[in-house]
Amino acid sequence: MDVCVLAVDVGGTKMAAGLVDGAGRVAGFARVATPSGPDAEALWRALAGLLDEVAGDAEITGVGVGCGGPMVWPAGEVSPLNIPSWRGFPLRARLAGRYPGLPVRLHNDAICVAVGEHWRGAGRGHRNVLGMVVSTGVGGGLILDDRLIDGGTGNAGHIGHVVVDPDGPPCVCGGRGCLEAVARGPGLVAWAQDQGWRTGESVTGVDLAADAVADDPVARAAMDRAGRALGVAIASAAHLCDLDVVTIGGGLAQTGALLFDPLEQALRAHARMAFADRVRVVPAALGQQAGLVGAAALVLHPAHYWRGDG
Ligand SMILES: [Zn+2]
């Protein structure tokens, strides 16, 4: 390997790491379950163990990290919504202490996915890309004029909290009718169970997607509902940002046309200005490793993806 970035993806259920080379190839991929207990240090030790296992005796040139938000950025003090034991945890500083002299760069996990898709995936070759993840939550990252947009506090690209229905369901953010409230896996499951789909069972968005593929009418209607909400939000984003391409990854994207057909219908109904209607929506290309590839790009291509340190 010419260059070798230790890339890390910290999520509520899993932590993953790998070594990424200059072409975006991932080697030595490994992952562990995220400890769910209240002990912040136990979680840190589990992460450190994973990194030791993956790094081995490779010569590391930097560390790139994607982590669930919110966070104080670029300081990298993280308080992931789905990792209650980390509140204001100084993840970037801890890693910098562990890898002295090396660049350590950290961003929101959905932003890393968007960066990965822009650098090596379905957004490659396009200057204006919105990269989205639709699964337990709905996240995104925004690349305009070939540069990652951070915004005032590193939080630009939060398309999950664009409002698609002001009278819609309550959202974890405290608002109402956000895209995430409608289209996230658990939101769709709740909606489908209200309509009589597998009521009373303990089921997830993965079950819902599988039933939609198997032609269950309520599950299909749920995908339709998610697709329409996504189309409405993407139409707004396309008008605001003059986008070339939107990439969609995450579990729900696996349902293919069941999600993308209603999405396209709603998008074309609402993207009426010619410049917005030119946007193309495509499935993400990098799968589960997109976040690692993007985290590495923070280190490898700062001219495009890192402005965190002034
Ligand atoms: Zn919200």
Side-chain angles (χ1 to χ4, degrees):
M1 281 189 166
D2 49 340
V3 291
C4 179
V5 173
L6 178 58
V8 191
D9 189 3
V10 180
T13 53
K14 289 181 296 280
M15 302 190 289
L19 298 173
V20 180
D21 72 6
R25 288 178 295 237
V26 180
F29 177 81
R31 62 182 181 185
V32 295
T34 306
S36 57
D39 185 350
E41 294 303 321
L43 182 51
W44 165 249
R45 283 193 299 275
L47 179 62
L50 174 69
L51 299 187
D52 285 344
E53 177 196 334
V54 168
D57 42 23
E59 203 170 311
I60 305 291
T61 52
V63 182
V65 187
C67 184
M71 66 181 65
V72 179
W73 185 90
E77 288 158 11
V78 303
S79 308
L81 278 182
N82 47 12
I83 305 182
S85 68
W86 277 5
R87 286 293 171 267
F89 186 81
L91 180 57
R92 191 179 176 206
R94 287 290 189 94
L95 289 166
R98 208 160 187 278
Y99 300 95
L102 296 183
V104 174
R105 295 174 184 160
L106 184 146
H107 228 314
N108 183 287
D109 51 3
I111 285 179
C112 288
V113 169
V115 165
E117 291 293 337
H118 180 249
W119 179 37
R120 302 301 297 173
R124 193 173 174 182
H126 298 282
R127 293 179 64 86
N128 304 286
V129 174
L130 171 65
M132 296 180 65
V133 181
V134 186
S135 65
T136 311
V138 177
L142 192 57
I143 288 101
L144 297 179
D145 286 335
D146 254 349
R147 297 199 67 146
L148 174 64
I149 301 300
D150 299 307
T153 65
N155 284 293
H158 265 78
I159 186 146
H161 301 279
V162 164
V163 175
V164 294
D165 177 4
D167 303 315
C171 183
V172 289
C173 72
R176 184 171 281 283
C178 301
L179 172 61
E180 175 164 302
V182 176
R184 70 194 287 257
L188 290 174
V189 165
W191 180 85
Q193 288 189 311
D194 268 355
Q195 317 293 312
W197 173 77
R198 298 174 71 166
T199 305
E201 290 182 52
S202 175
V203 279
T204 68
V206 175
D207 303 309
L208 186 68
D211 279 11
V213 170
D215 233 4
D216 178 279
V218 177
R220 290 187 71 133
M223 292 305 139
D224 200 66
R225 175 176 163 85
R228 276 185 281 121
L230 286 162
V232 168
I234 290 169
S236 296
H239 283 113
L240 192 63
C241 299
D242 197 357
L243 299 169
D244 304 326
V245 168
V246 177
T247 67
I248 301 194
L252 288 190
Q254 312 289 324
T255 58
L258 292 179
L259 185 75
F260 282 85
D261 284 355
L263 186 162
E264 277 291 328
Q265 227 169 32
L267 169 59
R268 302 309 161 192
H270 291 283
R272 302 315 287 254
M273 307 274 264
F275 76 86
D277 192 40
R278 74 187 179 86
V279 70
R280 288 195 306 117
V281 181
V282 298
L286 298 184
Q288 292 195 350
Q289 296 189 335
L292 292 180
V293 173
L298 303 178
V299 176
L300 292 168
H301 295 290
H304 293 290
Y305 306 123
W306 184 257
R307 281 197 258 200
D309 301 313

